[in-house]
DNA sequence: ATACATTAAGCTCTAGACAC
DNA sequence: GTGTCTAGAGCTTAATGTAT
């Protein structure tokens, strides 16, 4: 029997555990949510602003993407610690990302590696490739064992029976095989590229 | 001077709103 | 039901800043 409340409870317990072990209980627990990534391909995210209100108290949001919950425990905990790094930097006024949150800078890497993570560079997104360092991995193995979450949401896009979202986008993409020019049309057409003389091909 | 890190601008694409 | 327009998110890349 799937119980989302149990999953959220488990992530909250993990947050408290990691906050105590890696951050000396310095962080205030945000609103932890589990929801789809919406196609962005992220394992999780942390809101910049305090977007939750509970009895007058404001909270930030930390989300773990529902599609990736059943990854191995070391990967899931690395994601949680990654988001906790952002939270720590926000609290301390350290700007750790730019380019609308895509590029992770060396300040992110420094904070992360001071709190149980090992960070490597991604070609496009900077210092964001996150794994546990050996010490953290050993501690988590000892503390959590193999207690992974055995549930995940199916990816978006036609995998749900009867509930698939019907796209309203009716445009059709064509590409010139010669020069790579892209055009969009609203019905099937036979059209030739004026630069190359090649017929456009449906993408 | 050079390489690497970071940022900002602008292009691409999707999907919603609206007209016909 | 189909076509057109548009906002905004997603993403790339050139420009700029900084360290060595």
């Amino acid at each position: 029997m799937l119980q989302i409340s149990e999953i959220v409870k488990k992530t909250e317990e993990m947050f408290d555990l990691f906050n105590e072990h890696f951050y000396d209980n310095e962080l205030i627990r945000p609103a932890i949510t589990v929801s789809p990534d919406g196609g962005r391909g992220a394992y999780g995210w942390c809101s910049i602003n305090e977007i939750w209100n509970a009895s007058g108290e404001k909270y930030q949001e930390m989300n773990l993407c529902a599609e990736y919950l059943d990854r191995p425990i070391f990967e899931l905990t690395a994601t949680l610690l990654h988001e906790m790094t952002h939270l720590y930097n926000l609290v301390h006024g350290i700007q750790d990302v730019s380019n609308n949150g895509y590029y992770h800078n060396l300040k992110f890497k420094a904070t992360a590696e001071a709190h149980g993570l090992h960070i490597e560079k991604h070609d496009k997104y900077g210092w964001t490739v996150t794994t546990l360092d050996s010490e953290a991995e050993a501690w988590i193995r000892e503390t959590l064992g193999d207690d992974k979450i055995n549930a995940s949401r199916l990816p978006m896009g036609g995998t749900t029976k009867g509930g698939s979202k019907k796209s309203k986008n009716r445009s059709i993409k064509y590409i010139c095989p010669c020069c790579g020019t892209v055009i969009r049309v609203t019905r099937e057409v036979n059209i030739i590229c004026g630069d190359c003389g090649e017929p456009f091909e449906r993408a």
Side-chain angles (χ1 to χ4, degrees), chain A residues 97-160:
Chain A
V97 290
S98 61
N99 194 14
N100 296 319
Y102 279 92
Y103 186 82
H104 290 61
N105 61 26
L106 283 165
K107 290 172 189 168
F108 174 81
K109 176 180 161 75
T111 303
E113 293 193 337
H115 298 93
L117 294 175
H118 173 67
I119 303 295
E120 285 181 35
K121 197 177 182 194
H122 186 281
D123 275 352
K124 290 178 187 168
Y125 307 130
W127 301 96
T128 185
V129 181
T130 306
T131 49
L132 297 172
D133 69 23
S134 53
E135 203 176 305
E137 190 176 315
W139 180 78
I140 286 168
R141 179 178 287 114
E142 193 181 307
T143 310
L144 299 176
D146 289 327
D147 190 23
K148 75 190 278 274
I149 293 171
N150 289 308
S152 66
R153 190 185 191 280
L154 293 172
M156 303 276 240
T159 47
T160 51

Side-chain angles (χ1 to χ4, degrees), chain A residues 25-170:
Chain A
N25 277 327
E26 200 180 330
L27 302 176
I28 295 167
R29 192 211 284 167
I32 300 176
T33 59
V34 173
S35 66
D37 80 340
R40 74 182 75 177
Y43 289 139
W45 62 79
C46 181
S47 73
I48 294 166
N49 300 314
E50 292 167 328
I51 57 176
W52 281 81
N53 177 33
S55 307
E57 296 272 325
K58 299 282 197 301
Y59 296 91
Q60 282 166 302
E61 178 183 280
M62 182 180 290
N63 183 68
L64 292 175
C65 293
E67 290 90 338
Y68 311 113
L69 287 173
D70 61 352
R71 286 179 297 145
I73 190 69
F74 299 125
E75 291 183 30
L76 186 70
T77 52
T79 299
L80 188 56
L81 281 166
H82 178 116
E83 302 313 327
M84 288 174 76
T85 303
H86 286 307
L87 191 61
Y88 178 92
N89 283 336
L90 276 165
V91 168
H92 288 83
I94 299 167
Q95 189 189 338
D96 60 2
V97 290
S98 61
N99 194 14
N100 296 319
Y102 279 92
Y103 186 82
H104 290 61
N105 61 26
L106 283 165
K107 290 172 189 168
F108 174 81
K109 176 180 161 75
T111 303
E113 293 193 337
H115 298 93
L117 294 175
H118 173 67
I119 303 295
E120 285 181 35
K121 197 177 182 194
H122 186 281
D123 275 352
K124 290 178 187 168
Y125 307 130
W127 301 96
T128 185
V129 181
T130 306
T131 49
L132 297 172
D133 69 23
S134 53
E135 203 176 305
E137 190 176 315
W139 180 78
I140 286 168
R141 179 178 287 114
E142 193 181 307
T143 310
L144 299 176
D146 289 327
D147 190 23
K148 75 190 278 274
I149 293 171
N150 289 308
S152 66
R153 190 185 191 280
L154 293 172
M156 303 276 240
T159 47
T160 51
K161 198 177 180 179
S164 63
K165 200 169 108 182
K166 193 178 174 184
S167 172
K168 279 191 171 184
N169 185 18
R170 289 179 290 272

